[in-house]
Amino acid sequence: MTHAILCASQPMYDSGLNLVAHELLFRDDESDKAHILDADLATSHVLLDAFTSIQSATSAREHPVFVNVTRNLILCAEVSGSIGSRLVFEYSAKHGLDAKLVAAIIDLSKKGFKFAICNVTDWHEYEDLLTEISYVKVNALQHNSPLFSRNAALIKRHKAKLIAEKVEDAQTFEVCNNVGC
């Protein structure tokens, strides 16, 4: 049995509140949360939508587009180089980040693909990855953690751009802005 996977574009803003990117999200058609059994299939739907309906929006053509990807899609990497220079593959480290996956991300980055990694507790363990990826997303709700500022300082010494997610109030916005998000 198949069911619809709904795709949406969530805007991403810089510290000056300028639109700088979009994150493509997916949900099943039964709720407002992602309860997807086959993440590879859902990502395929998001990618297809990204380069058909959502990509046709003017702002989506001018800014990077972030798409959540699975470990399997990164390791299989049968992705065409023509997929677009604005596409950013976003991977959550909460699904595991081992040497094999890090090597695959670095290899694809060297081939021109862009990556954003999120949910890494301590970036000091993955500093070699920071030299190759384009973006690091940090959870702004953890801004009181001692690792938050320490990770931000480490990330800023590398090419990866620091992005704060889950910024929900002015105080958190200011803290994130002060560490370079």
Side-chain angles (χ1 to χ4, degrees), residues 3-7 26-29 36 38 41-42 45-46 49:
H3 65 278
I5 295 174
L6 306 175
C7 299
F26 55 86
R27 301 286 183 259
D28 65 24
D29 63 352
I36 305 296
D38 186 341
L41 178 64
H45 282 274
V46 169
D49 245 14

Side-chain angles (χ1 to χ4, degrees), residues 99-112:
K100 182 177 181 180
L101 186 61
V102 167
I105 291 169
I106 289 172
D107 181 58
L108 288 169
S109 293
K110 288 180 177 178
K111 292 177 180 174

Side-chain angles (χ1 to χ4, degrees), residues 3-171:
H3 65 278
I5 295 174
L6 306 175
C7 299
S9 175
Q10 176 177 306
M12 297 169 65
Y13 299 95
D14 66 13
S15 60
L17 300 180
N18 300 301
L19 179 66
V20 295
H22 294 272
E23 180 172 4
L24 299 182
L25 304 171
F26 55 86
R27 301 286 183 259
D28 65 24
D29 63 352
E30 300 294 319
S31 73
D32 64 350
K33 296 189 169 144
H35 297 289
I36 305 296
L37 297 178
D38 186 341
D40 290 332
L41 178 64
T43 299
S44 298
H45 282 274
V46 169
L47 289 171
L48 181 60
D49 245 14
F51 293 97
T52 56
S53 61
I54 293 174
Q55 190 67 3
S56 66
T58 302
S59 61
R61 283 185 266 144
E62 297 171 3
H63 301 290
V65 177
F66 287 61
V67 176
N68 291 291
V69 295
T70 64
R71 171 188 179 82
N72 188 47
L73 285 176
I74 294 169
L75 292 176
C76 292
E78 293 295 328
V79 183
S80 167
S82 64
I83 215 160
S85 61
R86 291 180 331 280
L87 185 66
V88 179
F89 294 130
E90 182 175 338
Y91 179 76
S92 173
K94 69 182 176 186
H95 301 297
L97 192 59
D98 58 35
K100 182 177 181 180
L101 186 61
V102 167
I105 291 169
I106 289 172
D107 181 58
L108 288 169
S109 293
K110 288 180 177 178
K111 292 177 180 174
F113 293 95
K114 294 178 184 167
F115 282 88
I117 308 295
C118 61
N119 299 313
V120 171
T121 304
D122 187 355
W123 272 100
H124 290 82
E125 297 176 38
Y126 303 102
E127 192 166 354
D128 55 332
L129 192 55
L130 290 173
T131 63
E132 300 297 334
I133 62 173
S134 301
Y135 302 92
V136 172
K137 289 178 86 175
V138 294
N139 183 341
L141 298 178
Q142 298 173 345
H143 72 273
N144 290 323
S145 162
L147 276 176
F148 188 83
S149 295
R150 191 172 135 211
N151 279 333
L154 176 66
I155 294 162
K156 285 179 13 183
R157 291 196 307 261
H158 296 279
K159 84 171 204 169
K161 183 173 179 149
L162 190 58
I163 299 174
E165 60 182 347
K166 301 180 183 164
V167 179
E168 297 179 356
D169 57 46
Q171 179 186 9

